[in-house]
Amino acid sequence: MSGDGQPRDHWFDDEAGPVVRPYAMTRGRTSHAAQHRLDVIAVVLTEPHVADPEADQTLSPEHVRIVELCRDTPRSVAELAAELDLPLGVVRVLVGDLVDGELVHVTRPVPPAELPDESILRDVINGLRAL
Amino acid sequence: MILGRSERGRPPAEPVTLKILVAGGFGVGKTTFVGAVSEIRPLRTEELLTEAGRPVDDLRGVEGKRTTTVAMDFGRITLREDLVLYLFGTPGQERFWFMWDELAEGALGAVVLVDTRRLEDCFAAVDYFERRDIPFLVGVNCFDGAARYPVEDIRRALDLDDHVPLLLCDARDRESVKEVLVGVVEHAMTRAARRPARPAVTT
């Protein structure tokens, strides 16, 4: 930030923002037709049959990273956004593409306006106490 | 999530994921609270304000990148291989409430952290959860040197309904934070027992 009132002509390093505007990775799409807004805790898993996502020319490097990150360890949408350093909205669109291409599937959290089973809640309480 | 590499050919376990929100004013200790129990250093995730329909490409007049993103810190607690609890610190500023709606959807419940020196900072959060009918409890973060007030006085100052639990806590202390989280889940269970179906969120 320039404090001397001069117009700021140059942005350096991180100040200049990302080299690629984030939504360029989604080709400008901010939502995905096939996907209801994915919850931040929806979990993404790579389909076991997916061998080499890099060979797929239709996938961007970010798509490929998601496929690889979720291969052995399921990850939530929020975790993917943090790890890829991308906005949540961008990750949702990219995951939607991968679901369409049957490269990953998504497990949905408990539907809104419903509480999980009482037995799950008891497990949560016991689990917290045992931490 | 760290669940270990699965055997070849065997898909990894599909966990049930749950979330609890941690709300309260700026600087009240939300990220400290999350960090006290999270198995990972709280991660930061961001959302661009373009989600709210702002112009995307015009950078004129945008003074810095920070004004265009909303940050949320979150942590994770793996309770069992197939049961994972996430804690989300809600964005502090009220103008980011469109993010709260999204976060609150499907949440198990919420903690509203309160600093008695700035009680009014939490009014908006209390109001929000009351109106959405989301189970919440109030955690009074007892900072060093913060004047202690009797619980009943705080309750009255916040105009809390009788059924809303209020606990004193220390956001830096793991045991204390665990106790608050157990309180949230118990409160959610009590409410669910009293009222079998939680009404849909109305906006």
Side-chain angles (χ1 to χ4, degrees), chain A residues 72-99:
Chain A
D72 292 315
T73 51
R75 277 163 219 259
S76 63
V77 170
E79 282 165 316
L80 284 173
E83 268 178 77
L84 298 170
D85 198 18
L86 289 175
L88 285 167
V90 171
V91 171
R92 286 198 178 98
V93 175
L94 297 176
V95 169
D97 293 340
L98 294 171
V99 170

PDB file of all heavy atoms in Angstrom, chain A residues 72-99:
ATOM      1  N   ASP A  72      -6.518 -41.851  -2.332  1.00  0.00           N
ATOM      2  CA  ASP A  72      -6.357 -42.728  -1.169  1.00  0.00           C
ATOM      3  C   ASP A  72      -7.040 -42.205   0.073  1.00  0.00           C
ATOM      4  O   ASP A  72      -7.379 -42.958   0.966  1.00  0.00           O
ATOM      5  CB  ASP A  72      -4.868 -42.923  -0.868  1.00  0.00           C
ATOM      6  CG  ASP A  72      -4.195 -43.709  -1.959  1.00  0.00           C
ATOM      7  OD1 ASP A  72      -4.781 -44.724  -2.383  1.00  0.00           O
ATOM      8  OD2 ASP A  72      -3.116 -43.303  -2.409  1.00  0.00           O
ATOM      9  N   THR A  73      -7.178 -40.891   0.131  1.00  0.00           N
ATOM     10  CA  THR A  73      -7.788 -40.312   1.319  1.00  0.00           C
ATOM     11  C   THR A  73      -8.932 -39.413   0.887  1.00  0.00           C
ATOM     12  O   THR A  73      -8.717 -38.441   0.169  1.00  0.00           O
ATOM     13  CB  THR A  73      -6.762 -39.476   2.107  1.00  0.00           C
ATOM     14  OG1 THR A  73      -6.140 -38.570   1.211  1.00  0.00           O
ATOM     15  CG2 THR A  73      -5.707 -40.341   2.746  1.00  0.00           C
ATOM     16  N   PRO A  74     -10.144 -39.766   1.319  1.00  0.00           N
ATOM     17  CA  PRO A  74     -11.286 -38.907   0.980  1.00  0.00           C
ATOM     18  C   PRO A  74     -11.057 -37.508   1.552  1.00  0.00           C
ATOM     19  O   PRO A  74     -10.492 -37.375   2.637  1.00  0.00           O
ATOM     20  CB  PRO A  74     -12.462 -39.579   1.687  1.00  0.00           C
ATOM     21  CG  PRO A  74     -11.986 -40.909   2.148  1.00  0.00           C
ATOM     22  CD  PRO A  74     -10.502 -40.855   2.220  1.00  0.00           C
ATOM     23  N   ARG A  75     -11.445 -36.492   0.821  1.00  0.00           N
ATOM     24  CA  ARG A  75     -11.263 -35.127   1.312  1.00  0.00           C
ATOM     25  C   ARG A  75     -12.535 -34.327   1.143  1.00  0.00           C
ATOM     26  O   ARG A  75     -13.231 -34.466   0.135  1.00  0.00           O
ATOM     27  CB  ARG A  75     -10.156 -34.423   0.531  1.00  0.00           C
ATOM     28  CG  ARG A  75      -8.770 -34.746   1.060  1.00  0.00           C
ATOM     29  CD  ARG A  75      -7.740 -34.386   0.031  1.00  0.00           C
ATOM     30  NE  ARG A  75      -6.696 -35.406   0.030  1.00  0.00           N
ATOM     31  CZ  ARG A  75      -5.519 -35.248   0.624  1.00  0.00           C
ATOM     32  NH1 ARG A  75      -5.231 -34.132   1.220  1.00  0.00           N
ATOM     33  NH2 ARG A  75      -4.634 -36.218   0.612  1.00  0.00           N
ATOM     34  N   SER A  76     -12.792 -33.463   2.111  1.00  0.00           N
ATOM     35  CA  SER A  76     -13.967 -32.603   2.017  1.00  0.00           C
ATOM     36  C   SER A  76     -13.688 -31.469   1.029  1.00  0.00           C
ATOM     37  O   SER A  76     -12.536 -31.149   0.729  1.00  0.00           O
ATOM     38  CB  SER A  76     -14.312 -32.036   3.391  1.00  0.00           C
ATOM     39  OG  SER A  76     -13.255 -31.228   3.846  1.00  0.00           O
ATOM     40  N   VAL A  77     -14.756 -30.865   0.553  1.00  0.00           N
ATOM     41  CA  VAL A  77     -14.644 -29.730  -0.365  1.00  0.00           C
ATOM     42  C   VAL A  77     -13.818 -28.607   0.284  1.00  0.00           C
ATOM     43  O   VAL A  77     -12.964 -27.998  -0.352  1.00  0.00           O
ATOM     44  CB  VAL A  77     -16.058 -29.228  -0.758  1.00  0.00           C
ATOM     45  CG1 VAL A  77     -15.996 -27.903  -1.502  1.00  0.00           C
ATOM     46  CG2 VAL A  77     -16.762 -30.285  -1.617  1.00  0.00           C
ATOM     47  N   ALA A  78     -14.048 -28.373   1.578  1.00  0.00           N
ATOM     48  CA  ALA A  78     -13.295 -27.316   2.266  1.00  0.00           C
ATOM     49  C   ALA A  78     -11.798 -27.638   2.303  1.00  0.00           C
ATOM     50  O   ALA A  78     -10.957 -26.756   2.088  1.00  0.00           O
ATOM     51  CB  ALA A  78     -13.823 -27.136   3.693  1.00  0.00           C
ATOM     52  N   GLU A  79     -11.472 -28.899   2.550  1.00  0.00           N
ATOM     53  CA  GLU A  79     -10.054 -29.275   2.580  1.00  0.00           C
ATOM     54  C   GLU A  79      -9.407 -29.127   1.214  1.00  0.00           C
ATOM     55  O   GLU A  79      -8.267 -28.675   1.093  1.00  0.00           O
ATOM     56  CB  GLU A  79      -9.905 -30.715   3.078  1.00  0.00           C
ATOM     57  CG  GLU A  79     -10.050 -30.827   4.580  1.00  0.00           C
ATOM     58  CD  GLU A  79     -10.262 -32.254   5.045  1.00  0.00           C
ATOM     59  OE1 GLU A  79     -11.061 -32.989   4.430  1.00  0.00           O
ATOM     60  OE2 GLU A  79      -9.645 -32.625   6.028  1.00  0.00           O
ATOM     61  N   LEU A  80     -10.151 -29.509   0.171  1.00  0.00           N
ATOM     62  CA  LEU A  80      -9.605 -29.346  -1.184  1.00  0.00           C
ATOM     63  C   LEU A  80      -9.347 -27.873  -1.479  1.00  0.00           C
ATOM     64  O   LEU A  80      -8.309 -27.511  -2.038  1.00  0.00           O
ATOM     65  CB  LEU A  80     -10.576 -29.922  -2.220  1.00  0.00           C
ATOM     66  CG  LEU A  80     -10.603 -31.450  -2.321  1.00  0.00           C
ATOM     67  CD1 LEU A  80     -11.732 -31.889  -3.253  1.00  0.00           C
ATOM     68  CD2 LEU A  80      -9.265 -31.995  -2.818  1.00  0.00           C
ATOM     69  N   ALA A  81     -10.301 -27.023  -1.099  1.00  0.00           N
ATOM     70  CA  ALA A  81     -10.135 -25.588  -1.362  1.00  0.00           C
ATOM     71  C   ALA A  81      -8.894 -25.053  -0.651  1.00  0.00           C
ATOM     72  O   ALA A  81      -8.123 -24.278  -1.212  1.00  0.00           O
ATOM     73  CB  ALA A  81     -11.388 -24.827  -0.914  1.00  0.00           C
ATOM     74  N   ALA A  82      -8.696 -25.510   0.604  1.00  0.00           N
ATOM     75  CA  ALA A  82      -7.534 -25.036   1.360  1.00  0.00           C
ATOM     76  C   ALA A  82      -6.241 -25.566   0.744  1.00  0.00           C
ATOM     77  O   ALA A  82      -5.265 -24.840   0.593  1.00  0.00           O
ATOM     78  CB  ALA A  82      -7.646 -25.466   2.824  1.00  0.00           C
ATOM     79  N   GLU A  83      -6.253 -26.853   0.362  1.00  0.00           N
ATOM     80  CA  GLU A  83      -5.017 -27.441  -0.168  1.00  0.00           C
ATOM     81  C   GLU A  83      -4.652 -26.912  -1.543  1.00  0.00           C
ATOM     82  O   GLU A  83      -3.486 -26.729  -1.860  1.00  0.00           O
ATOM     83  CB  GLU A  83      -5.140 -28.962  -0.214  1.00  0.00           C
ATOM     84  CG  GLU A  83      -4.627 -29.594   1.055  1.00  0.00           C
ATOM     85  CD  GLU A  83      -4.792 -31.087   1.050  1.00  0.00           C
ATOM     86  OE1 GLU A  83      -3.988 -31.744   0.381  1.00  0.00           O
ATOM     87  OE2 GLU A  83      -5.727 -31.585   1.700  1.00  0.00           O
ATOM     88  N   LEU A  84      -5.658 -26.674  -2.367  1.00  0.00           N
ATOM     89  CA  LEU A  84      -5.379 -26.166  -3.709  1.00  0.00           C
ATOM     90  C   LEU A  84      -5.274 -24.641  -3.710  1.00  0.00           C
ATOM     91  O   LEU A  84      -4.961 -24.044  -4.733  1.00  0.00           O
ATOM     92  CB  LEU A  84      -6.488 -26.590  -4.688  1.00  0.00           C
ATOM     93  CG  LEU A  84      -6.663 -28.096  -4.889  1.00  0.00           C
ATOM     94  CD1 LEU A  84      -7.929 -28.373  -5.679  1.00  0.00           C
ATOM     95  CD2 LEU A  84      -5.465 -28.691  -5.611  1.00  0.00           C
ATOM     96  N   ASP A  85      -5.588 -24.034  -2.567  1.00  0.00           N
ATOM     97  CA  ASP A  85      -5.585 -22.578  -2.449  1.00  0.00           C
ATOM     98  C   ASP A  85      -6.497 -21.947  -3.510  1.00  0.00           C
ATOM     99  O   ASP A  85      -6.121 -21.021  -4.216  1.00  0.00           O
ATOM    100  CB  ASP A  85      -4.151 -22.043  -2.557  1.00  0.00           C
ATOM    101  CG  ASP A  85      -4.056 -20.623  -1.999  1.00  0.00           C
ATOM    102  OD1 ASP A  85      -4.970 -20.225  -1.258  1.00  0.00           O
ATOM    103  OD2 ASP A  85      -3.081 -19.913  -2.319  1.00  0.00           O
ATOM    104  N   LEU A  86      -7.684 -22.510  -3.615  1.00  0.00           N
ATOM    105  CA  LEU A  86      -8.680 -22.006  -4.572  1.00  0.00           C
ATOM    106  C   LEU A  86      -9.956 -21.662  -3.816  1.00  0.00           C
ATOM    107  O   LEU A  86     -10.250 -22.269  -2.793  1.00  0.00           O
ATOM    108  CB  LEU A  86      -9.010 -23.085  -5.609  1.00  0.00           C
ATOM    109  CG  LEU A  86      -7.928 -23.413  -6.635  1.00  0.00           C
ATOM    110  CD1 LEU A  86      -8.383 -24.584  -7.493  1.00  0.00           C
ATOM    111  CD2 LEU A  86      -7.632 -22.197  -7.503  1.00  0.00           C
ATOM    112  N   PRO A  87     -10.718 -20.705  -4.323  1.00  0.00           N
ATOM    113  CA  PRO A  87     -11.992 -20.398  -3.664  1.00  0.00           C
ATOM    114  C   PRO A  87     -12.927 -21.604  -3.693  1.00  0.00           C
ATOM    115  O   PRO A  87     -12.878 -22.426  -4.617  1.00  0.00           O
ATOM    116  CB  PRO A  87     -12.570 -19.263  -4.508  1.00  0.00           C
ATOM    117  CG  PRO A  87     -11.429 -18.701  -5.269  1.00  0.00           C
ATOM    118  CD  PRO A  87     -10.453 -19.834  -5.463  1.00  0.00           C
ATOM    119  N   LEU A  88     -13.790 -21.688  -2.699  1.00  0.00           N
ATOM    120  CA  LEU A  88     -14.738 -22.799  -2.609  1.00  0.00           C
ATOM    121  C   LEU A  88     -15.555 -22.952  -3.877  1.00  0.00           C
ATOM    122  O   LEU A  88     -15.791 -24.053  -4.346  1.00  0.00           O
ATOM    123  CB  LEU A  88     -15.694 -22.554  -1.436  1.00  0.00           C
ATOM    124  CG  LEU A  88     -15.126 -22.780  -0.041  1.00  0.00           C
ATOM    125  CD1 LEU A  88     -16.065 -22.196   1.006  1.00  0.00           C
ATOM    126  CD2 LEU A  88     -14.925 -24.268   0.200  1.00  0.00           C
ATOM    127  N   GLY A  89     -15.994 -21.817  -4.423  1.00  0.00           N
ATOM    128  CA  GLY A  89     -16.838 -21.871  -5.616  1.00  0.00           C
ATOM    129  C   GLY A  89     -16.145 -22.536  -6.787  1.00  0.00           C
ATOM    130  O   GLY A  89     -16.758 -23.289  -7.556  1.00  0.00           O
ATOM    131  N   VAL A  90     -14.860 -22.266  -6.928  1.00  0.00           N
ATOM    132  CA  VAL A  90     -14.094 -22.859  -8.020  1.00  0.00           C
ATOM    133  C   VAL A  90     -13.994 -24.370  -7.812  1.00  0.00           C
ATOM    134  O   VAL A  90     -14.199 -25.162  -8.740  1.00  0.00           O
ATOM    135  CB  VAL A  90     -12.681 -22.225  -8.098  1.00  0.00           C
ATOM    136  CG1 VAL A  90     -11.802 -22.983  -9.084  1.00  0.00           C
ATOM    137  CG2 VAL A  90     -12.780 -20.756  -8.493  1.00  0.00           C
ATOM    138  N   VAL A  91     -13.702 -24.782  -6.577  1.00  0.00           N
ATOM    139  CA  VAL A  91     -13.564 -26.208  -6.294  1.00  0.00           C
ATOM    140  C   VAL A  91     -14.880 -26.934  -6.567  1.00  0.00           C
ATOM    141  O   VAL A  91     -14.903 -28.026  -7.124  1.00  0.00           O
ATOM    142  CB  VAL A  91     -13.087 -26.429  -4.835  1.00  0.00           C
ATOM    143  CG1 VAL A  91     -13.149 -27.897  -4.457  1.00  0.00           C
ATOM    144  CG2 VAL A  91     -11.681 -25.880  -4.667  1.00  0.00           C
ATOM    145  N   ARG A  92     -15.993 -26.295  -6.210  1.00  0.00           N
ATOM    146  CA  ARG A  92     -17.294 -26.925  -6.468  1.00  0.00           C
ATOM    147  C   ARG A  92     -17.503 -27.209  -7.957  1.00  0.00           C
ATOM    148  O   ARG A  92     -17.978 -28.270  -8.328  1.00  0.00           O
ATOM    149  CB  ARG A  92     -18.417 -26.013  -5.991  1.00  0.00           C
ATOM    150  CG  ARG A  92     -18.562 -25.965  -4.514  1.00  0.00           C
ATOM    151  CD  ARG A  92     -19.940 -25.404  -4.176  1.00  0.00           C
ATOM    152  NE  ARG A  92     -20.101 -25.398  -2.745  1.00  0.00           N
ATOM    153  CZ  ARG A  92     -19.896 -24.320  -1.997  1.00  0.00           C
ATOM    154  NH1 ARG A  92     -19.561 -23.169  -2.545  1.00  0.00           N
ATOM    155  NH2 ARG A  92     -20.040 -24.401  -0.694  1.00  0.00           N
ATOM    156  N   VAL A  93     -17.145 -26.226  -8.780  1.00  0.00           N
ATOM    157  CA  VAL A  93     -17.337 -26.409 -10.225  1.00  0.00           C
ATOM    158  C   VAL A  93     -16.426 -27.528 -10.737  1.00  0.00           C
ATOM    159  O   VAL A  93     -16.856 -28.398 -11.498  1.00  0.00           O
ATOM    160  CB  VAL A  93     -17.063 -25.089 -10.981  1.00  0.00           C
ATOM    161  CG1 VAL A  93     -17.133 -25.314 -12.484  1.00  0.00           C
ATOM    162  CG2 VAL A  93     -18.062 -24.022 -10.558  1.00  0.00           C
ATOM    163  N   LEU A  94     -15.177 -27.516 -10.293  1.00  0.00           N
ATOM    164  CA  LEU A  94     -14.229 -28.530 -10.762  1.00  0.00           C
ATOM    165  C   LEU A  94     -14.673 -29.934 -10.328  1.00  0.00           C
ATOM    166  O   LEU A  94     -14.628 -30.882 -11.113  1.00  0.00           O
ATOM    167  CB  LEU A  94     -12.819 -28.236 -10.225  1.00  0.00           C
ATOM    168  CG  LEU A  94     -12.183 -26.912 -10.684  1.00  0.00           C
ATOM    169  CD1 LEU A  94     -10.833 -26.700 -10.010  1.00  0.00           C
ATOM    170  CD2 LEU A  94     -12.021 -26.865 -12.203  1.00  0.00           C
ATOM    171  N   VAL A  95     -15.137 -30.051  -9.082  1.00  0.00           N
ATOM    172  CA  VAL A  95     -15.604 -31.356  -8.596  1.00  0.00           C
ATOM    173  C   VAL A  95     -16.843 -31.780  -9.397  1.00  0.00           C
ATOM    174  O   VAL A  95     -16.975 -32.948  -9.775  1.00  0.00           O
ATOM    175  CB  VAL A  95     -15.906 -31.310  -7.074  1.00  0.00           C
ATOM    176  CG1 VAL A  95     -16.646 -32.568  -6.622  1.00  0.00           C
ATOM    177  CG2 VAL A  95     -14.613 -31.152  -6.282  1.00  0.00           C
ATOM    178  N   GLY A  96     -17.707 -30.823  -9.706  1.00  0.00           N
ATOM    179  CA  GLY A  96     -18.885 -31.139 -10.524  1.00  0.00           C
ATOM    180  C   GLY A  96     -18.496 -31.728 -11.875  1.00  0.00           C
ATOM    181  O   GLY A  96     -19.087 -32.706 -12.334  1.00  0.00           O
ATOM    182  N   ASP A  97     -17.466 -31.146 -12.494  1.00  0.00           N
ATOM    183  CA  ASP A  97     -16.975 -31.686 -13.769  1.00  0.00           C
ATOM    184  C   ASP A  97     -16.516 -33.134 -13.606  1.00  0.00           C
ATOM    185  O   ASP A  97     -16.785 -33.989 -14.447  1.00  0.00           O
ATOM    186  CB  ASP A  97     -15.753 -30.885 -14.254  1.00  0.00           C
ATOM    187  CG  ASP A  97     -16.097 -29.461 -14.646  1.00  0.00           C
ATOM    188  OD1 ASP A  97     -17.284 -29.196 -14.901  1.00  0.00           O
ATOM    189  OD2 ASP A  97     -15.162 -28.628 -14.703  1.00  0.00           O
ATOM    190  N   LEU A  98     -15.794 -33.375 -12.510  1.00  0.00           N
ATOM    191  CA  LEU A  98     -15.227 -34.713 -12.297  1.00  0.00           C
ATOM    192  C   LEU A  98     -16.312 -35.736 -11.993  1.00  0.00           C
ATOM    193  O   LEU A  98     -16.196 -36.899 -12.380  1.00  0.00           O
ATOM    194  CB  LEU A  98     -14.198 -34.673 -11.154  1.00  0.00           C
ATOM    195  CG  LEU A  98     -12.933 -33.850 -11.448  1.00  0.00           C
ATOM    196  CD1 LEU A  98     -12.098 -33.690 -10.177  1.00  0.00           C
ATOM    197  CD2 LEU A  98     -12.107 -34.491 -12.551  1.00  0.00           C
ATOM    198  N   VAL A  99     -17.386 -35.293 -11.322  1.00  0.00           N
ATOM    199  CA  VAL A  99     -18.512 -36.196 -11.072  1.00  0.00           C
ATOM    200  C   VAL A  99     -19.169 -36.552 -12.409  1.00  0.00           C
ATOM    201  O   VAL A  99     -19.447 -37.714 -12.693  1.00  0.00           O
ATOM    202  CB  VAL A  99     -19.545 -35.561 -10.110  1.00  0.00           C
ATOM    203  CG1 VAL A  99     -20.817 -36.389 -10.035  1.00  0.00           C
ATOM    204  CG2 VAL A  99     -18.942 -35.392  -8.712  1.00  0.00           C
TER     205      VAL A  99
END
